[in-house]
Amino acid sequence: MSSVWDNHYLKQKSILHHPDENLVRILSRITPPNLSVLDFGSGSGRHIPLLKEKGFDVSASDSSIEAVERLKVNFSGHPCYLTDKLPYSFQKGQFGLIVSWGVFHYNERSVAKAMLVELHQALAPNGYLAGSIRAASDTHLKLNDGKMNLVDLNGGYAETYTLVEVNDLLRPFSNVEIGYTERTPLGKLDERICHWFFLAKK
């Protein structure tokens, strides 16, 4: 799967310039216990400028070697981690906030749960995990036995989650708030791109 994402980040269309509006709203509601933040699964780094603007000390990570190399160039001076295998090298209690936007669902359930445990450990007491995960109502990924049937990410792996399954994944956290968003791709009104987005407090 890593080669699918490495190829993806070689393409111009992978470079996203604007943060997700739901993350903007979430950040306006919270005061993390410290200013150290990890953008986990940073991709092209779309959320790094927003996090810097909010005054955070930003670290970035991704499972794609190509993405990490680009992050090092475009956001030099910020720590960048390659998180292509568990366990991760984060310290316990290192971050006051971790952002994981559109990451968990591109992994098998057992791996996603192991990732969640690692991130929970990397959060400081009362720290926050803000993220999004693909909802079961999604039709855009065109999944077939976990394989995506998309031109850009053909053959890549993904799973979708029900609300019950999202709550189960986030069970280690003391408080969880969940929202839902749905949109159609331009010109494809018969498709649905559906996500749960969440704020979880340690």
Side-chain angles (χ1 to χ4, degrees):
M1 186 178 69
S2 59
S3 62
V4 171
W5 288 102
D6 286 336
N7 291 335
H8 174 70
Y9 288 114
L10 287 170
K11 299 172 184 176
Q12 187 66 28
K13 68 176 295 184
S14 72
I15 303 175
L16 305 178
H17 298 284
H18 304 289
D20 190 289
E21 62 183 277
N22 292 300
L23 178 60
V24 176
R25 293 189 180 99
I26 286 174
L27 293 180
S28 70
R29 296 180 49 194
I30 63 173
T31 303
N34 66 60
L35 292 176
S36 182
V37 59
L38 172 66
D39 188 9
F40 179 77
S42 190
S44 61
R46 65 183 292 204
H47 291 131
I48 293 177
L50 170 67
L51 295 167
K52 289 173 60 178
E53 179 185 305
K54 296 291 184 181
F56 290 109
D57 299 321
V58 184
S59 298
S61 77
D62 204 274
S63 62
S64 163
I65 295 173
E66 182 63 33
V68 170
E69 290 305 311
R70 285 195 174 197
L71 289 167
K72 288 178 179 178
V73 172
N74 295 331
F75 300 99
S76 60
H78 294 276
C80 292
Y81 301 87
L82 177 64
T83 46
D84 59 340
K85 57 186 176 181
L86 293 158
Y88 304 136
S89 59
F90 309 131
Q91 298 175 12
K92 289 186 177 181
Q94 182 175 351
F95 304 105
L97 168 67
I98 297 176
V99 174
S100 178
W101 218 258
V103 178
F104 291 115
H105 55 267
Y106 290 121
N107 297 272
E108 294 182 2
R109 298 294 171 99
S110 60
V111 175
K113 286 188 175 184
M115 292 164 61
L116 191 283
V117 169
E118 289 276 316
L119 298 183
H120 187 269
Q121 292 176 348
L123 279 172
N126 297 310
Y128 291 94
L129 173 67
S132 71
I133 191 165
R134 202 65 78 117
S137 48
D138 182 273
T139 62
H140 179 67
L141 292 180
K142 300 181 177 66
L143 293 179
N144 182 11
D145 292 329
K147 297 293 184 180
M148 291 183 283
N149 187 21
L150 298 174
V151 172
D152 188 42
L153 294 171
N154 189 44
Y157 187 85
E159 296 190 17
T160 58
Y161 284 67
T162 65
L163 180 56
V164 170
E165 290 167 337
V166 173
N167 274 304
D168 181 63
L169 177 69
L170 298 173
R171 192 175 300 277
F173 288 86
S174 65
N175 186 63
V176 176
E177 296 178 274
I178 298 174
Y180 175 80
T181 182
E182 179 178 304
R183 66 181 177 87
T184 65
L186 187 64
K188 297 181 179 180
L189 295 178
D190 58 331
E191 292 187 15
R192 295 290 183 272
I193 300 174
C194 307
H195 287 88
W196 305 108
F197 58 96
F198 59 83
L199 178 64
K201 186 175 183 180
K202 185 171 180 179

